[in-house]
Amino acid sequence: MDKIFVTKSSLPSMDEYIEEIKSIWDTCWLTNMGEKHNSFQEKLKEYLSVDNIELLVNGHMAIELTLQSMKLSGEVITTPFTFASTTHAIVRNGLKPVFCDIDKDYFTIDADKIEELINENTCAIVPVHVYGTICDVDKIDKIAKKYNIKVIYDAAHAFGEEYNGIGIGNYGDASCFSFHATKVFNSIEGGAVTFDNKEIGNALYGLKNFGIQGPEEVSAVGANAKLNEFCAAMGLCNLKHVEENIKSRKTIYNRYMSNLSNLNGIILKKDQVGVKSNYSYFPIVVDENLFGATREIIMSALEKEKVFARKYFYPLTCDFSAYNGRFSECDVSNARWVSNRVLTLPLFPDLDLADVDRICEIIKKCKN
Ligand SMILES: *Cc1c(COP(=O)(O)O)cnc(C)c1O
């Protein structure tokens, strides 16, 4: 039996990709905002239903450079229940992450606990639409307005999602997307920022190209974060299939749901009203007291059958040894509880429903 990993990269047919990249041999333009880059950017703008977008080399630089573009200093309220990138982007900007606990039902930042963490040093909130679950954008927006602070969403998991019929990239001051190979939609590596204020776009355009604003003008200490033409071409091809891929994901997601929803001790992601989901991840939270076995037991049982689930997200980012305990003073007990029990199951468009059933049977056999 073949190994089943937590995700599998989506690819167009080889012919499709070759057709798309042929013109690169005519122009010999490989990077630096070429034809593919610009056309990919326009197509994404349409797909995400946003007015403003800037393409970047990956999702991490999207977050890092967006924070830099806003010239922030001080403290940033964020979630520890996320991928390393979110917190690293804050720290690499010389900002201090202040960790807010998560909502136990939705795994996103608990908007009711944000306000008590705000002080005169707070400059921004960086929430994460973790697993594609949308944060309480209405409440977060209200808080940000009240205190005049920025909101930058890590939307790496939320590609193509909508809330109340509005593209998710329209919320907050900016939203950062990732097109990494492992995500719902990929351009091999890639990322984008959607934003409401054109000044952010101008700044990002400079920052992704060494801060160069003209032939003799370097106005910012930028980085190199340009998306190359081959990646943009992959994005153009994959974008044509993303809707059908999300549809397949939905079928698989629903199969997991019906298999696991009545299993005492297995907590599943809650559906959200008014959200068009992309079905990006299928996390389960194993309450060992009710289930009679831990997530580790389930994980090894799956591994024995060559199924490789992952502990997304464990450990919490506030516990990373990289930070030497500098930011560990925080009350994040819900995040810790979930992080210690979560297991993300395989989910990708061509995962067989028979394999989904098999995975669920292995989990059920662990129950005591
Ligand atoms: C993948 C991911 C990122 C980083 O995106 P890259 O494109 O891999 O740089 C940031 N935040 C979250 C939550 C992610 O899952």
Side-chain angles (χ1 to χ4, degrees):
M1 198 130 20
D2 285 342
K3 289 179 179 173
I4 298 178
F5 295 104
V6 73
T7 182
K8 184 173 151 192
S9 298
S10 297
L11 281 166
S13 74
M14 202 189 285
D15 287 345
E16 253 182 294
Y17 186 62
I18 289 170
E19 197 50 46
E20 187 64 56
I21 60 173
K22 268 183 184 159
S23 62
I24 298 177
W25 271 260
D26 301 328
T27 58
C28 292
W29 191 300
L30 307 186
T31 185
N32 284 43
M33 288 65 94
E35 212 175 272
K36 302 290 174 201
H37 171 284
N38 295 341
S39 129
F40 182 34
Q41 192 159 272
E42 282 310 304
K43 292 251 158 65
L44 278 173
K45 202 158 119 180
E46 208 174 296
Y47 184 78
L48 297 173
S49 311
V50 292
D51 293 330
N52 305 300
I53 187 164
E54 196 58 46
L55 266 186
L56 291 156
V57 68
N58 57 49
H60 176 79
M61 289 310 280
I63 308 171
E64 194 169 314
L65 295 184
T66 300
L67 292 172
Q68 189 183 347
S69 77
M70 293 175 176
K71 300 192 162 66
L72 303 170
S73 64
E75 299 183 3
V76 174
I77 296 170
T78 189
T79 169
F81 189 65
T82 182
F83 183 53
S85 172
T86 323
T87 311
H88 280 351
I90 295 167
V91 175
R92 288 170 60 84
N93 268 286
L95 298 161
K96 181 185 174 194
V98 173
F99 294 103
C100 181
D101 205 358
I102 61 169
D103 182 295
K104 216 172 163 184
D105 288 332
Y106 292 98
F107 314 137
T108 51
I109 194 164
D110 186 344
D112 290 328
K113 291 182 180 159
I114 292 176
E115 227 170 325
E116 65 202 54
L117 297 172
I118 294 179
N119 62 41
E120 67 279 7
N121 297 321
T122 309
C123 60
I125 310 171
V126 177
V128 181
H129 300 305
V130 68
Y131 309 126
T133 300
I134 301 306
C135 300
D136 192 339
V137 288
D138 299 322
K139 214 173 263 173
I140 291 170
D141 187 49
K142 249 192 218 143
I143 295 169
K145 286 215 166 72
K146 179 172 170 190
Y147 293 94
N148 193 27
I149 55 181
K150 303 282 185 199
V151 181
I152 302 98
Y153 285 104
D154 180 338
H157 295 180
F159 184 80
E161 295 196 317
E162 290 175 3
Y163 173 58
N164 288 340
I166 297 168
I168 200 63
N170 291 291
Y171 292 91
D173 295 279
S175 297
C176 303
F177 294 88
S178 163
F179 313 143
H180 184 256
T182 55
K183 304 279 155 85
V184 163
F185 165 76
N186 85 79
S187 61
I188 308 174
E189 295 255 11
V193 183
T194 59
F195 47 88
D196 63 349
N197 180 339
K198 296 229 187 307
E199 272 173 39
I200 297 175
N202 292 337
L204 281 173
Y205 189 85
L207 287 173
K208 75 176 180 182
N209 190 24
F210 307 101
I212 298 171
Q213 283 287 6
E216 298 181 9
E217 175 66 14
V218 179
S219 57
V221 186
N224 180 0
K226 306 181 298 287
L227 190 75
N228 74 58
E229 291 292 277
F230 288 85
C231 286
M234 182 61 83
L236 281 166
C237 292
N238 276 336
L239 197 55
K240 292 180 189 151
H241 303 288
V242 70
E243 278 298 318
E244 61 183 279
N245 282 344
I246 290 174
K247 236 171 147 185
S248 310
R249 284 176 172 279
K250 182 178 179 178
T251 308
I252 295 159
Y253 189 98
N254 287 340
R255 185 72 155 234
Y256 270 127
M257 271 290 175
S258 59
N259 276 335
L260 298 176
S261 57
N262 290 320
L263 206 51
N264 196 21
I266 300 290
I267 302 161
L268 304 176
K269 198 152 88 75
K270 286 208 172 41
D271 272 345
Q272 292 186 293
V273 183
V275 172
K276 181 184 168 223
S277 173
N278 63 10
Y279 305 97
S280 47
Y281 296 93
F282 199 92
I284 62 171
V285 176
V286 186
D287 185 339
E288 70 282 2
N289 289 329
L290 297 175
F291 189 71
T294 61
R295 117 180 113 181
E296 274 69 23
I297 288 171
I298 293 178
M299 201 173 169
S300 352
L302 289 169
E303 273 176 22
K304 263 190 214 128
E305 302 295 327
K306 294 191 186 167
V307 175
F308 298 91
R310 295 289 297 271
K311 295 179 191 174
Y312 292 153
F313 289 97
Y314 174 88
L316 296 176
T317 66
C318 54
D319 294 334
F320 284 176
S321 63
Y323 302 140
N324 281 317
R326 272 190 294 159
F327 314 121
S328 52
E329 230 176 87
C330 52
D331 175 15
V332 291
S333 46
N334 285 342
R336 194 152 268 133
W337 195 88
V338 173
S339 179
N340 284 332
R341 291 168 179 79
V342 74
L343 194 61
T344 297
L345 303 179
L347 175 53
F348 44 85
D350 61 355
L351 178 63
D352 266 339
L353 290 177
D355 281 324
V356 174
D357 293 344
R358 189 165 64 85
I359 290 167
C360 295
E361 281 313 309
I362 299 169
I363 296 171
K364 285 177 187 170
K365 275 201 196 122
C366 295
K367 187 162 172 59
N368 277 306

